[in-house]
């Protein structure tokens, strides 16, 4: 009939809304659970690496920057790449390139951390599996019997802008890291030995005989 209009609703809109209402809480719970598990694993990895303060593993973004330092990558360069990839993701070509660089940076950080636990690159195949694979990779490093040993060959980018030159209190300075100021360095982490207190004689080197004590002065 002329001038008449008909509407048809098969209920698909309500079904989609109901599905979204059910799916959204499950998605949020999954994201929260993944964050808690990954942060807990990072906390264990940081403890093995000599990082002071368990809280560092639970701060979003910051925990990733600490991991970058342990992986011999400048945290600021890493942050710029990741933020750039997120901001430029919708721009053709440029966004794709930044995305590849961000993935590559994450891979090399994981690779260097794995090397310091005595794990070679094949273990990264787990890390490359989104979600579950990354958690398995973190769990192996966190609860495996391998000990942290930062005395490995220098990174190929050690003399580039990607090299870590920052110093953060509580985060060990890695061997070979070129720094411009004092930082935290425990035994085995490349930190300078503390000078002896005034008036005290430094302990003798291992394998040597200490000199006799000086006669008293009257």
């Amino acid at each position: 009939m002329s001038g008449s209009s008909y509407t048809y609703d098969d209920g698909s809109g309500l079904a989609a809304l109901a599905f979204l209402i059910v799916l959204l809480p499950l998605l949020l719970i999954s994201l929260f659970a993944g964050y808690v598990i990954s942060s807990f694993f990072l906390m264990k990895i940081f403890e093995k690496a000599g990082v002071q303060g368990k809280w560092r593993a639970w701060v979003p973004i910051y925990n990733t920057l600490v991991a970058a330092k342990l992986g011999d990558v400048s945290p600021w360069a890493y942050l710029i790449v990741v933020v750039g990839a997120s901001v430029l993701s919708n721009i053709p070509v440029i966004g794709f390139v930044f995305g590849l660089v961000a993935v590559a940076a994450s891979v090399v950080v994981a690779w260097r951390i794995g090397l310091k636990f005595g794990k070679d690159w094949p273990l990264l195949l787990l890390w490359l599996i989104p979600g579950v694979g990354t958690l398995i990779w973190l769990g192996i490093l966190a609860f495996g019997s391998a000990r942290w040993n930062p005395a490995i060959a220098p990174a190929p980018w050690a003399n580039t802008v990607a090299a870590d030159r920052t110093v953060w209190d509580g985060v060990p300075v890695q061997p070979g890291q070129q720094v411009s100021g004092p930082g935290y360095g425990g035994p085995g982490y490349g930190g300078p030995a503390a000078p002896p207190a005034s008036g005290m004689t430094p302990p003798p080197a291992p394998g040597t005989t200490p000199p006799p004590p000086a006669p008293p002065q009257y």
Side-chain angles (χ1 to χ4, degrees):
M1 179 181 297
S2 176
S4 299
S5 62
Y6 298 92
T7 59
Y8 176 75
D9 185 4
D10 61 356
S12 60
L14 292 177
L17 180 60
F19 179 74
L20 182 61
I21 292 175
V22 173
L23 179 63
L24 186 58
L26 293 177
L27 179 61
L28 293 177
I29 291 173
S30 299
L31 292 175
F32 179 75
Y35 167 76
V36 171
I37 295 173
S38 62
S39 297
F40 180 72
F41 288 169
L42 278 176
M43 182 182 70
K44 294 298 182 180
I45 292 173
F46 288 177
E47 287 179 355
K48 286 186 174 184
V51 176
Q52 296 180 344
K54 296 181 179 181
W55 60 270
R56 300 177 193 271
W58 296 92
V59 181
I61 301 177
Y62 177 69
N63 55 9
T64 305
L65 300 184
V66 173
K69 286 181 60 60
L70 296 179
D72 305 315
V73 173
S74 168
W76 307 121
Y78 186 81
L79 181 63
I80 291 173
V81 168
V82 173
V83 172
S86 301
V87 172
L88 304 175
S89 60
N90 294 325
I91 300 179
V93 182
I94 297 178
F96 178 75
V97 171
F98 262 85
L100 288 180
V101 174
V103 171
S106 299
V107 169
V108 297
V109 167
W111 169 58
R112 294 291 293 181
I113 291 177
L115 286 180
K116 294 177 183 181
F117 277 106
K119 308 297 183 181
D120 212 341
W121 67 266
L123 189 64
L124 285 177
L125 296 178
L126 281 174
W127 185 89
L128 291 173
I129 302 175
V132 177
T134 304
L135 292 179
I136 294 175
W137 179 83
L138 289 172
I140 291 174
L141 299 186
F143 294 100
S145 59
R147 299 174 64 86
W148 178 260
N149 177 25
I152 61 176
W157 56 88
N159 296 319
T160 69
V161 294
D164 179 30
R165 294 180 175 84
T166 59
V167 177
W168 290 347
D169 289 339
V171 181
V173 174
Q174 302 300 291
Q177 178 182 344
Q178 301 177 9
V179 297
S180 57
Y184 167 73
Y189 297 107
S198 176
M200 297 181 62
T201 303
T208 61
T209 302
Q217 301 293 328
Y218 297 99

